[in-house]
Amino acid sequence: MTADVSRRDFLKGAGCLIVSFSATGSVLSSRRGAAQISGVPGDQLDSWLAIGADGRVTVYTGKCELGQGLATAQMQLVAEELVVPLDRITLIQCDTEQTPDQGTTSGSQSHPTNFNDRNLAQAAATAREALLRMAAERLDVSIPELQIDNGVVRSRTGGKSTRYGELVGGKRFHLPLDNGARRRPPSDWRVMGAPVPRAELPDLATGRFEFVHNVRVPGMLHGRVVRPRSVGAKLVSVNDESVEDVPGLVKVVVKNDFVGVVAEKPWQAIQAAEKLSCEWSPGPALVSQNDFYEHLRRQEPRSDRLVVDSKDVDATLERAARIVSATYRHPYQMHGSVGSSCAVADVKDGKVVLWSASQAVHHLKQTAAMLLGVSPNDVRVIFKMGSGCYGLNGADTVSYDAALLSQAVGRPVRVQLSRQDEMAWENYGYAYVIDQRLGLDSEGKIIAWDYEAWFPTLGSRPRTGTPGNVVTGFLAGFEPAAVTEPSPAEDPRAFNNGSNAAPSYVTGCIGGSCGGTGTIKSERVLTHNVRSMFFTGPLRSPSRLQNTFAHESIMDEAAAEAGMDPVSYRLDHLRDSRLIEVLKAVAAKANWDPRPSPRRDLTESGVASGRGIACVLYEGDNGYCALVANVDVNRDTGDVSVTRLVAGVDCGPISNPDGLGNQVEGGTLQGVSRALLEEVTWDEKKVTSVDWGTYQSLPLGFEVPEVETVLIDRRDVEAMGAGETTITLAAAAIGNAIFDATGVRIREVPFTKERVKAALTEAIS
């Protein structure tokens, strides 16, 4: 393991200021919120960055590198604002003893949070202006007469200069973040906006990168968990004697329904876990998968929410010339990280150190303390990148596993989940069943939009007080968070698109203010949240993907009913100029042939080709995007091949076009996998999709479609997110393309060849 250099040690070594930092609260992660850390000077410049006597800049951020390229972009941001070379930046991220608490790194929020005029960007701008003031005083030159280049402040007339290290070396800034500090204008950018390669790539390519799986601690043991045999089962007894002969066994650990073993070596722990005799009570029978979606509609109690309600939808639908209605279904899906989750914990003498790939280290610090019965002040969580995340995979729960086992044996313990433990017990992405009704006037224009959805939840991120939101905390005796929203729904007080529950084409008018991107005034969006059989949580574009699949599919169905081209039909119902522009740009890039869908030359056999489109303003304010998908559908087998994807994004000023392109391409391909293949399955007792044979995703060696991107760089607006934009559109665009190719609408994800073939056969019959 690479030694973890403390903030204090690092700064001492650099011969510069020493900054103590111990965040116990959280910086508001809203991109519009001011930085506040409860109990510590979160609004202080010294909490965010330091400059050593050698001129090197150390940056402290609460937003982690998860494989999305954020670390490099944050280094670019500070290098740009301080006008120093990129290689002079050292980034320390997500360590509860060193970095600000910025909540969870998720939801495409890191870019808007740290790259506008608050938080990290504000800190860097504050530092630059402070350094200019210091230099002006030292050089006896007015600030307008100074310029900065490579960390050297010079008088514009020449002759006088000083370096950053000379100005602050060995000292703290002792300054609050300045709300008036001005960012460098984009017209001056030299590092920001450039396609800088990711900083960690050389180590990744040469096998030197340290994932959490590679952490090794002196005296470290290895743990394995023993999960219940079925969903909802309770532990009755454990027979320790059943594993007495396993070599290297250190201890069998039981806490309520949590069971684990600790051994000297990984293989010994695996053997002990497999051999340990446990008696479990039978869990409740699970709802049949065939009846699952209807079960959601019937389930009580439920929590209802009205996202928007113009109160005239029923009346408008009654006078509509035509009604287009359909039901869309989306299954539970899993994160499916390439490697199973891993964590290392060292719990002894009341002190806890956790090496974790959690996306929320400060939250994990709080909940791990609850789990272990220690003070949060005695817990340190150090982020180490895992093998994938996309939301809430097993990173948090395996951190709890390691902590419980380490506490029981008083030595460091490493736990890596088995493939089955990961897949059977993670927090799945939400299943949905969505009813849509659209009223069309005599000319085919939509005059009313009525949406109603049911989706099950159980648990989620543990945040600061609910370790029972993931399986280990629940087994150890903590309950998942309770449903808090009222039922039945109250009238909305302000517009929020409700995780894309509100379609792009409604006005979103509430209380005289209209926040939607569309023109349809008669609008009603109602959601019902019911209890899930399985743990659920955020999976890349949570709920946004499911809702957008339903919206962009019914929009296509309405266009077909009206006999109009899908792009033109969308444009007729949009009023947001940026969404219109990205839609047009993607259509142009894809050489979109304006005509109604489906195509006229439909056949009953052989391979048919089609194209589909979808667009959305993600979350109503966090990334404009559009996607065109081209597919081939084998009508004889039902097999769908995506042949070309054209994805467009407008997320404001582009910090790193290479990184943004990677995010768009990767997200779109993950969307293809989820649209075509991914679905959690179960029987009457347990989840049955527990490995790569039973949970299908795009396999290694699959034929990668051509992926083209359109990146719209707007430097006069706020930075938005991008990581969850185009994945949100993939299922809808592909479904629309299948319809264009075959004339058959598939309203249930995934579009497996069996499901597509059945729909084609039914259509012919």
Side-chain angles (χ1 to χ4, degrees):
M1 182 189 72
T2 302
D4 290 298
V5 180
S6 72
R7 183 184 181 112
R8 181 177 297 271
D9 292 340
F10 181 89
L11 293 173
K12 279 182 175 177
C16 65
L17 72 158
I18 297 172
V19 180
S20 63
F21 189 90
S22 179
T24 58
S26 65
V27 174
L28 296 179
S29 56
S30 165
R31 54 188 170 277
R32 297 182 182 84
Q36 297 289 334
I37 300 178
S38 175
V40 296
D43 58 352
Q44 296 297 304
L45 175 56
D46 296 317
S47 299
W48 296 91
L49 62 84
I51 298 177
D54 57 359
R56 292 198 60 81
V57 181
T58 304
V59 180
Y60 305 92
T61 178
K63 294 297 184 183
C64 318
E65 174 61 54
L66 306 171
Q68 77 279 49
L70 180 63
T72 301
Q74 291 183 109
M75 294 166 68
Q76 288 179 257
L77 170 66
V78 177
E80 182 65 59
E81 290 300 321
L82 292 183
V83 199
V84 298
L86 188 64
D87 62 8
R88 208 173 290 175
I89 303 290
T90 298
L91 187 74
I92 296 178
Q93 55 180 341
C94 300
D95 179 333
T96 58
E97 283 200 356
Q98 302 194 78
T99 61
D101 178 358
Q102 293 195 274
T104 306
T105 303
S106 67
S108 295
Q109 289 294 328
S110 298
H111 196 231
T113 296
N114 274 355
F115 288 74
N116 283 308
D117 55 359
R118 293 290 181 266
N119 302 312
L120 185 57
Q122 184 184 14
T126 300
R128 188 191 68 253
E129 294 193 353
L131 290 162
L132 280 171
R133 289 194 297 272
M134 294 177 191
E137 183 176 351
R138 174 182 286 246
L139 302 178
D140 193 23
V141 177
S142 68
I143 291 177
E145 294 180 77
L146 295 174
Q147 61 183 7
I148 307 173
D149 187 32
N150 288 337
V152 179
V153 188
R154 291 188 174 88
S155 64
R156 295 182 186 276
T157 55
K160 294 182 177 181
S161 67
T162 183
R163 298 177 179 275
Y164 284 169
E166 296 170 339
L167 295 171
V168 297
K171 297 182 295 184
R172 299 173 65 169
F173 280 99
H174 288 297
L175 290 173
L177 297 190
D178 182 0
N179 289 332
R182 299 179 62 181
R183 296 277 312 277
R184 279 169 52 79
S187 56
D188 289 350
W189 283 2
R190 289 184 291 182
V191 183
M192 282 286 283
V196 175
R198 283 168 50 177
E200 71 276 17
L201 275 182
D203 282 351
L204 284 168
T206 55
R208 293 177 296 175
F209 187 84
E210 185 183 72
F211 291 90
V212 68
H213 303 69
N214 305 120
V215 171
R216 297 292 184 271
V217 181
M220 187 178 78
L221 301 172
H222 297 268
R224 198 79 165 183
V225 293
V226 180
R227 300 298 196 212
R229 296 293 177 85
S230 59
V231 175
K234 296 292 184 181
L235 183 66
V236 176
S237 64
V238 177
N239 182 3
D240 290 12
E241 295 179 354
S242 61
V243 291
E244 281 184 342
D245 60 344
V246 175
L249 178 69
V250 175
K251 191 170 186 176
V252 175
V253 180
V254 178
K255 184 172 184 177
N256 294 314
D257 294 323
F258 171 83
V259 182
V261 297
V262 181
E264 295 287 344
K265 298 179 179 178
W267 178 240
Q268 294 166 340
I270 292 171
Q271 289 179 306
E274 291 179 349
K275 193 173 181 181
L276 184 66
S277 176
C278 299
E279 182 181 354
W280 300 91
S281 68
L286 300 178
V287 174
S288 164
Q289 194 147 8
N290 292 331
D291 189 42
F292 173 63
Y293 293 112
E294 291 307 309
H295 163 77
L296 295 182
R297 296 176 187 273
R298 300 190 302 266
Q299 193 168 336
E300 296 287 350
R302 65 190 192 191
S303 176
D304 299 345
R305 179 190 175 193
L306 268 171
V307 175
V308 65
D309 185 8
S310 60
K311 306 292 187 183
D312 63 346
V313 170
D314 291 328
T316 308
L317 287 172
E318 283 186 8
R319 62 180 172 80
R322 286 172 284 179
I323 301 290
V324 176
S325 63
T327 296
Y328 300 90
R329 300 174 179 85
H330 196 283
Y332 290 112
Q333 293 180 328
M334 65 176 65
H335 297 77
S337 302
V338 173
S340 59
S341 295
C342 179
V344 176
D346 188 0
V347 185
K348 57 187 173 188
D349 301 328
K351 303 291 184 182
V352 182
V353 181
L354 264 172
W355 291 266
S356 170
S358 170
Q359 294 176 228
V361 292
H362 282 273
H363 293 175
L364 180 59
K365 169 191 173 93
Q366 299 287 329
T367 55
M370 293 174 65
L371 193 75
L372 300 175
V374 302
S375 167
N377 293 330
D378 292 324
V379 180
R380 178 185 183 184
V381 182
I382 302 168
F383 173 81
K384 290 289 183 181
M385 200 159 81
S387 55
C389 54
Y390 307 120
L392 181 61
N393 64 357
D396 288 82
T397 208
V398 77
S399 300
Y400 292 161
D401 292 328
L404 286 170
L405 296 178
S406 177
Q407 185 181 46
V409 298
R411 290 175 60 182
V413 174
R414 175 185 183 273
V415 178
Q416 182 170 0
L417 296 177
S418 70
R419 172 57 52 194
Q420 182 167 350
D421 288 338
E422 176 99 23
M423 287 187 157
W425 295 100
E426 70 153 74
N427 294 62
Y428 300 129
Y430 310 118
Y432 263 80
V433 56
I434 300 172
D435 291 343
Q436 302 260 31
R437 286 192 304 162
L438 274 56
L440 277 58
D441 66 16
S442 59
E443 296 180 350
K445 193 154 187 175
I446 301 171
I447 56 174
W449 195 301
D450 192 16
Y451 160 105
E452 187 171 11
W454 294 258
F455 67 103
T457 62
L458 176 66
S460 188
R461 295 191 189 281
R463 303 196 185 282
T464 57
T466 47
N469 273 0
V470 298
V471 64
T472 304
F474 176 72
L475 294 174
F478 293 86
E479 289 295 318
V483 174
T484 56
E485 291 201 35
S487 180
E490 298 177 345
D491 285 339
R493 298 177 181 175
F495 181 71
N496 176 307
N497 90 340
S499 302
N500 290 14
S504 301
Y505 308 98
V506 301
T507 56
C509 292
I510 297 174
S513 177
C514 300
T517 53
T519 61
I520 303 167
K521 296 179 180 178
S522 184
E523 51 190 345
R524 181 170 59 201
V525 173
L526 174 62
T527 65
H528 308 287
N529 179 203
V530 299
R531 185 179 176 88
S532 172
M533 300 181 294
F534 311 120
F535 282 98
T536 61
L539 169 61
R540 198 173 189 180
S541 192
S543 296
R544 290 81 167 162
L545 186 156
Q546 295 88 330
N547 286 321
T548 304
F549 163 60
H551 293 324
E552 291 300 300
S553 296
I554 193 74
M555 193 65 186
D556 229 55
E557 296 205 44
E561 178 69 21
M564 291 189 63
D565 168 66
V567 173
S568 298
Y569 196 67
R570 282 170 169 78
L571 292 172
D572 284 347
H573 295 85
L574 289 174
R575 65 187 179 96
D576 187 296
S577 60
R578 293 175 67 179
L579 187 54
I580 290 171
E581 180 176 338
V582 73
L583 177 62
K584 287 182 175 178
V586 164
K589 180 77 172 180
N591 297 318
W592 183 267
D593 177 21
R595 59 169 173 77
S597 285
R599 57 189 306 156
R600 292 184 176 179
D601 55 343
L602 297 178
T603 62
E604 293 188 357
S605 64
V607 176
S609 299
R611 85 282 197 263
I613 195 164
C615 66
V616 75
L617 170 55
Y618 184 79
E619 296 179 328
D621 64 355
N622 197 23
Y624 295 88
C625 55
L627 178 68
V628 169
N630 289 75
V631 303
D632 286 342
V633 183
N634 187 320
R635 298 189 62 110
D636 302 316
T637 64
D639 187 60
V640 177
S641 298
V642 178
T643 57
R644 184 189 183 204
L645 295 160
V646 179
V649 172
D650 167 8
C651 61
I654 298 174
S655 297
N656 184 324
D658 182 60
L660 177 58
N662 292 338
Q663 280 288 286
V664 171
E665 292 172 5
T668 305
L669 289 176
Q670 188 180 12
V672 171
S673 181
R674 292 175 65 177
L676 297 183
L677 296 164
E678 299 190 33
E679 181 174 22
V680 173
T681 58
W682 63 89
D683 61 19
E684 67 277 10
K685 289 293 184 184
K686 62 186 184 304
V687 171
T688 55
S689 48
V690 294
D691 54 36
W692 298 121
T694 51
Y695 186 80
Q696 302 294 316
S697 64
L698 289 179
L700 290 174
F702 78 99
E703 191 168 343
V704 181
E706 181 181 3
V707 183
E708 300 168 63
T709 58
V710 180
L711 307 181
I712 299 175
D713 189 9
R714 292 183 184 275
R715 298 195 169 186
D716 57 345
V717 296
E718 284 193 347
M720 293 181 171
E724 297 190 341
T725 51
T726 51
I727 186 176
T728 304
L729 304 170
I734 293 170
N736 292 339
I738 293 172
F739 174 75
D740 185 59
T742 66
V744 175
R745 176 67 59 178
I746 313 295
R747 300 188 178 93
E748 183 173 347
V749 171
F751 309 136
T752 61
K753 63 180 181 181
E754 294 81 9
R755 185 163 286 144
V756 173
K757 177 59 179 174
L760 293 172
T761 301
E762 182 180 357
I764 294 173
S765 63

